[in-house]
Amino acid sequence: MDVLPAGVINVLFFGTDSRDPKSLGGNADAIIVAQLSADHQSMTLVSIARDTYVDYAGGGRGKINGSFPAGGTEKLRGTVSNLLGGLPIHYVVQANFTGFINITRWLDGFDVQNQKATSVTVQSTGRRVTFPAGTITLGGTDALIYSRERKTMPLGDLDRAQRHRAVLSGMVSRLKERLAEDPAGFAELLASLYGNVKVTGPLDADALTGLVPAISAVDAGRVTSLMVPIRGFGTVNGASVNLLDEARTAALAAALEQGDVTGYVERYGAGYAPTGG
């Protein structure tokens, strides 16, 4: 039985930069809205770069990653919803560094389509990690290293936000593979995943087995990857920020409200470089 409600479903995924395994605090440095289509067969991933300068739900302005420490999950949820024209957020899923690494290990790694070849030295160990362009497999701590890298890429945090979408898409594909490999043990896998995240919304651990039909239905080839568009970069109170392309953001919000971004992509494409608008 599918436990998800009928129609379009919007899920806010975010990851904090907390290094404390027991803490779910910190800044929300990875922010993605995943929209599942009404037929639950296709998905749109929309990331919001962490330095995007926005109005906060309930008042105030600042970088979107600061809305979470300013007021918790509900403030971040409200801020994201308002940014996207009041888009309803049905579920919120949150993880920290430790939870993300544990999920990667429980999945036994996953593949991503890496757009930009990079190489980074891990400060804590001195290990050099290289990520070639093309299909690569991420396992263990490498998935976190891949997701956090930005200084070696031409568009910095915008490229990193694209990697966040690639990681989430790869995880969904890997879940489908794990379901096919071991249907009987899949419920146990989901319970393990649930234990490494915080879920806000009407979904508890006992209901996870009802997600199997939804996971099976998603077509990995029908995932659209987008970013809330920015027009450029600026400085506010001495801090570097991303400046919204408000007109294009409104067009994206309208498309998400309709549950179909096809027209938006046809008009604007799926690129994420600053628009200059």
Side-chain angles (χ1 to χ4, degrees):
M1 179 180 177
D2 192 342
V3 300
L4 298 177
V8 170
I9 298 169
N10 303 308
V11 183
L12 171 61
F13 291 91
F14 74 99
T16 63
D17 59 3
S18 174
R19 290 170 171 79
D20 181 350
K22 298 180 180 179
S23 172
L24 287 172
N27 289 309
D29 280 354
I31 305 171
I32 300 176
V33 173
Q35 181 172 89
L36 192 62
S37 62
D39 63 6
H40 295 183
Q41 293 183 8
S42 63
M43 184 180 296
T44 299
L45 303 179
V46 180
S47 58
I48 308 169
R50 68 172 190 171
D51 291 338
T52 304
Y53 194 68
V54 300
D55 293 322
Y56 289 166
R61 301 195 77 194
K63 296 181 181 183
I64 195 164
N65 72 333
S67 64
F68 175 65
T73 301
E74 286 309 307
K75 192 173 187 72
L76 176 61
R77 189 212 296 243
T79 299
V80 170
S81 174
N82 291 348
L83 177 64
L84 296 175
L87 187 75
I89 305 296
H90 302 101
Y91 303 95
V92 182
V93 179
Q94 175 189 355
N96 60 14
F97 284 176
T98 299
F100 181 80
I101 292 170
N102 288 342
I103 290 170
T104 301
R105 288 174 172 158
W106 277 107
L107 290 174
D108 196 21
F110 54 89
D111 292 344
V112 298
Q113 299 300 317
N114 185 35
Q115 293 188 4
K116 293 180 173 68
T118 59
S119 186
V120 61
T121 299
V122 181
Q123 292 184 355
S124 60
T125 64
R127 183 167 68 98
R128 190 75 175 170
V129 185
T130 298
F131 302 110
T135 303
I136 60 174
T137 300
L138 300 174
T141 59
D142 283 358
L144 181 63
I145 295 168
Y146 177 84
S147 300
R148 299 193 67 226
E149 188 178 1
R150 62 183 174 90
K151 293 182 179 180
T152 62
M153 293 186 285
L155 291 178
D157 194 50
L158 307 189
D159 287 323
R160 179 167 71 167
Q162 186 279 325
R163 283 189 167 183
H164 295 160
R165 299 191 299 276
V167 163
L168 188 54
S169 179
M171 285 182 165
V172 171
S173 295
R174 182 58 180 146
L175 276 171
K176 287 173 64 70
E177 291 175 354
R178 290 296 302 269
L179 174 58
E181 292 167 359
D182 183 15
F186 192 69
E188 181 179 350
L189 171 65
L190 285 179
S192 298
L193 298 182
Y194 188 91
N196 283 283
V197 299
K198 176 184 176 182
V199 178
T200 302
L203 183 67
D204 58 29
D206 293 335
L208 282 178
T209 54
L211 288 176
V212 172
I215 294 170
S216 302
V218 174
D219 183 348
R222 295 176 59 189
V223 177
T224 303
S225 178
L226 301 169
M227 189 184 81
V228 168
I230 67 167
R231 55 184 170 86
F233 307 102
T235 303
V236 176
N237 297 326
S240 298
V241 299
N242 302 332
L243 302 173
L244 277 173
D245 184 326
E246 295 182 357
R248 194 175 294 189
T249 298
L252 175 58
L256 291 169
E257 179 63 30
Q258 294 298 315
D260 184 357
V261 298
T262 303
Y264 175 88
V265 173
E266 288 176 351
R267 181 175 182 181
Y268 297 112
Y272 55 88
T275 66

